[in-house]
């Protein structure tokens, strides 16, 4: 397992990255994977979910927050918990939760170029909604590089890390997991991809995210995590195709 720090010089394909030479299916999670936490996207979603619970059950803010955590830890998503225990309409919930401000999310042409240069198909697999994924990827300026989005609705509202969700995704898009790579910010969501034969990359924040548990930001050393990086763009650039070199640009100070 390796963690790639931002670098400035053109380099040959690294030996560990040569492991991706067979990959032609590139699968990306959305939230906190394709953008950094500084964009303040996910905290807004969490706030909207908490507000939904507050209004639905007449709770105070703290109780709503704790209920959201309970559903997340027991059911994988708050939505799954609400549907299982209370029969909440998922479409209403998703529309409410994803009604957020993306003004702090800047376009990322470097990431777009790196994704576009990857050989083969690119897909998004998210526990969020298609509309949310389209809005976020569109604001980043990278939506056009993805063939399709597999969202929580298409998953039958069964979230990652459930094995059936990955299997349904693979079947729908005719993806051979032995030729696929999965990029995720939550390590438990890489367990099944590893078991299915995918290469796995854990995305960690460069700086601590005050809105997430420390356990969800740690560099994980485990068999199901093959690579770790805090620089998705820098990690992808040398993977354009085996044997090539590409300049990796250092982040602006």
């Amino acid at each position: 397992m390796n963690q790639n720090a931002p670098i400035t010089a053109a380099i040959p394909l690294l030996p560990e990255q040569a492991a991706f030479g067979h990959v032609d299916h590139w699968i990306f999670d959305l939230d906190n994977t394709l953008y950094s936490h500084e964009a303040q996207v996910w905290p807004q979603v969490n706030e909207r979910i908490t507000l939904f619970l507050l209004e639905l059950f007449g709770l105070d803010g703290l109780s709503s927050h704790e209920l959201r955590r309970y559903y997340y830890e027991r059911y994988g998503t708050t939505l799954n918990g609400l549907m299982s225990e209370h029969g909440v309409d998922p479409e209403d919930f998703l529309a409410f939760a994803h009604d957020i401000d993306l003004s702090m999310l800047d376009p990322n042409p470097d990431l777009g170029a790196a994704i576009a240069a990857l050989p083969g198909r690119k897909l998004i697999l998210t526990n969020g909604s298609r509309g949310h994924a389209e809005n976020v990827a569109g604001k980043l300026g990278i939506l056009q590089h993805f063939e399709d989005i597999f969202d929580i609705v298409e998953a039958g509202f069964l979230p990652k890390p459930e094995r059936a969700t990955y299997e349904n995704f693979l079947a729908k898009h005719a993806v051979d997991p032995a030729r696929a790579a999965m990029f995720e910010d939550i390590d438990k969501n890489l367990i099944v991809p590893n078991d299915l034969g995918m290469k796995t990359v854990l995305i960690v924040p460069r700086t601590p995210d005050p809105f997430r548990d420390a356990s969800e930001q740690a560099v994980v050393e485990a068999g199901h995590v093959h690579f770790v990086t805090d620089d998705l763009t820098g990690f992808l650039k040398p993977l354009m195709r085996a044997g090539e070199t590409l300049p990796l640009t250092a982040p602006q100070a």
Side-chain angles (χ1 to χ4, degrees):
M1 183 179 65
N2 294 275
Q3 183 170 359
N4 290 46
I7 56 178
T8 57
I11 60 172
L13 195 70
L14 300 174
E16 65 270 27
Q17 291 174 323
F20 293 84
H22 67 291
V23 171
D24 57 8
H25 293 76
W26 307 86
I27 305 160
F28 295 85
D29 174 51
L30 179 78
D31 290 305
N32 292 317
T33 295
L34 292 176
Y35 61 82
S36 68
H37 68 85
E38 287 85 1
Q40 296 288 299
V41 173
W42 193 243
Q44 292 186 70
V45 175
N46 277 341
E47 288 177 5
R48 295 289 293 173
I49 293 173
T50 300
L51 180 58
F52 186 92
L53 297 175
L54 185 152
E55 294 181 352
L56 180 64
F57 297 115
L59 302 173
D60 58 68
L62 181 59
S63 298
S64 297
H65 173 77
E66 291 303 317
L67 183 59
R68 176 179 60 78
R69 289 177 59 88
Y70 160 76
Y71 284 138
Y72 175 75
E73 292 172 2
R74 179 171 181 180
Y75 293 98
T77 63
T78 304
L79 174 58
N80 196 23
L82 288 172
M83 292 176 64
S84 298
E85 294 192 5
H86 303 283
V88 167
D89 186 308
E91 299 294 345
D92 289 345
F93 174 89
L94 291 170
F96 189 93
H98 294 141
D99 183 13
I100 59 172
D101 177 14
L102 297 178
S103 61
M104 294 183 65
L105 185 64
D106 294 326
N108 192 341
D110 287 344
L111 176 60
I115 291 173
L118 294 172
R121 303 164 66 197
K122 301 98 182 186
L123 298 151
I124 291 175
L125 172 56
T126 176
N127 280 346
S129 69
R130 174 180 290 271
H132 176 61
E134 289 176 345
N135 289 340
V136 169
K139 188 66 161 49
L140 288 167
I142 63 175
L143 179 60
Q144 68 273 23
H145 303 306
F146 292 98
E147 176 182 318
D148 202 358
I149 297 165
F150 189 90
D151 72 342
I152 193 67
V153 178
E154 292 198 71
F157 303 103
L158 190 66
K160 297 176 292 182
E162 295 293 334
R163 185 181 184 93
T165 293
Y166 298 94
E167 291 176 341
N168 289 339
F169 164 79
L170 295 174
K172 176 180 179 180
H173 291 289
V175 173
D176 178 357
R179 295 164 50 196
M182 180 81 200
F183 297 81
E184 246 295 344
D185 68 298
I186 299 176
D187 80 279
K188 69 180 180 181
N189 290 347
L190 293 174
I191 294 174
V192 172
N194 170 70
D195 291 345
L196 292 170
M198 299 185 201
K199 291 298 179 184
T200 65
V201 182
L202 179 65
I203 310 300
V204 297
R206 290 187 182 178
T207 59
D209 183 349
F211 296 99
R212 298 176 67 193
D213 290 342
S215 62
E216 290 191 349
Q217 305 179 57
V219 174
V220 175
E221 295 189 14
H224 63 277
V225 177
H226 303 158
F227 302 93
V228 178
T229 184
D230 64 1
D231 177 20
L232 177 59
T233 301
F235 189 91
L236 293 177
K237 281 185 175 180
L239 304 183
M240 179 177 174
R241 58 177 61 91
E244 289 202 7
T245 62
L246 290 173
L248 302 185
T249 305
Q252 298 297 316

